[in-house]
Amino acid sequence: MNYSDYFILMMEILGTVSFASSGAMLAIQRRMDVFGVTILGVTTAVGGGVIRDLILGITPPSMFRDFKYALMAIVTSLVIFTLMCLRRQLFSGNFLIWYDKVMNLFDTVGLGVFTVVGMNTAVQTGYGDNYFLLCFVGVVTGVGGGMMRDIMTGTMPYIFVKHIYAVASLAGALVFVLFYRHVPEIVGMLLGAGTVIAIRILAAHYRWNLPRVS
């Protein structure tokens, strides 16, 4: 495995853990049992990648050919479930004030990472010249798992009502398309993911600091 492959693997692990965490935390808030928490964590973590692979004609999808991503999502979900069971008071008092910020952080990192990972997969599959497909696949990879998570919990999907979500993913995808032919692969992915994360953090900061209307 060369340096570039190792970097991409680390990004995929980061995105998987981040999205699995957001899925597991939402499942716990909805009072699901350990099976529900695990399923929602795995769905959030790998759902976008499954959709991406089906669009690109990669069958069976990567999660079924390489179990490590699903396994990481399962372990992450179980760890969070265990922590919440041992510390039930976490879902009361001050923690609820920070809950939305924690969920937003996990979603932000996962969205940025999976947007560029999805696009890089499309490039490696041979679609580097189809910019529309690259952007579409990147956004779908980024938001797909979160949409499935929200639908399964009866929550309005983030891409329709929460902050700047799909728009941030699209902006990162456009940055990746603009630079990936002119800079090393790793730099292009960092620029794209960084754009998504920066937009999401700025949007969340602005929302949290809006003056309250009495």
Side-chain angles (χ1 to χ4, degrees), residues 38-191:
T38 303
I39 291 299
L40 203 63
V42 172
T43 299
T44 309
V46 303
V50 170
I51 299 173
R52 171 203 67 205
D53 290 348
L54 293 176
I55 292 174
L56 296 176
I58 302 174
T59 55
S62 300
M63 70 158 289
F64 297 109
R65 292 183 287 108
D66 189 347
F67 188 68
K68 67 174 177 285
Y69 301 108
L71 181 60
M72 282 187 290
I74 291 172
V75 171
T76 300
S77 301
L78 291 176
V79 168
I80 290 178
F81 180 82
T82 302
L83 290 175
M84 292 302 181
C85 286
L86 294 175
R87 303 292 184 192
R88 293 183 180 275
Q89 66 270 26
L90 288 177
F91 265 112
S92 62
N94 291 333
F95 180 80
L96 291 178
I97 299 174
W98 292 96
Y99 173 80
D100 188 53
K101 293 184 179 182
V102 173
M103 281 285 292
N104 185 69
L105 177 62
F106 284 141
D107 254 4
T108 294
V109 175
L111 181 65
V113 168
F114 276 133
T115 295
V116 296
V117 166
M119 298 182 73
N120 187 68
T121 300
V123 171
Q124 299 301 321
T125 308
Y127 297 102
D129 294 327
N130 191 331
Y131 297 145
F132 175 74
L133 178 62
L134 288 181
C135 292
F136 182 83
V137 167
V139 174
V140 166
T141 307
V143 308
M147 280 195 65
M148 296 171 69
R149 173 201 64 205
D150 295 339
I151 292 171
M152 291 171 69
T153 56
T155 305
M156 180 67 72
Y158 267 28
I159 66 170
F160 299 135
V161 297
K162 281 285 185 179
H163 327 309
I164 299 176
Y165 200 76
V167 173
S169 178
L170 179 59
L174 292 174
V175 169
F176 179 89
V177 165
L178 182 63
F179 286 102
Y180 89 96
R181 288 187 179 277
H182 308 290
V183 297
E185 180 183 44
I186 295 175
V187 176
M189 295 180 71
L190 285 175
L191 288 172

Side-chain angles (χ1 to χ4, degrees), residues 17-48:
V17 172
S18 298
F19 266 165
S21 299
S22 72
M25 291 181 66
L26 183 59
I28 293 170
Q29 188 191 44
R30 294 292 190 272
R31 300 186 182 279
M32 295 184 181
D33 61 14
V34 63
F35 181 76
V37 171
T38 303
I39 291 299
L40 203 63
V42 172
T43 299
T44 309
V46 303

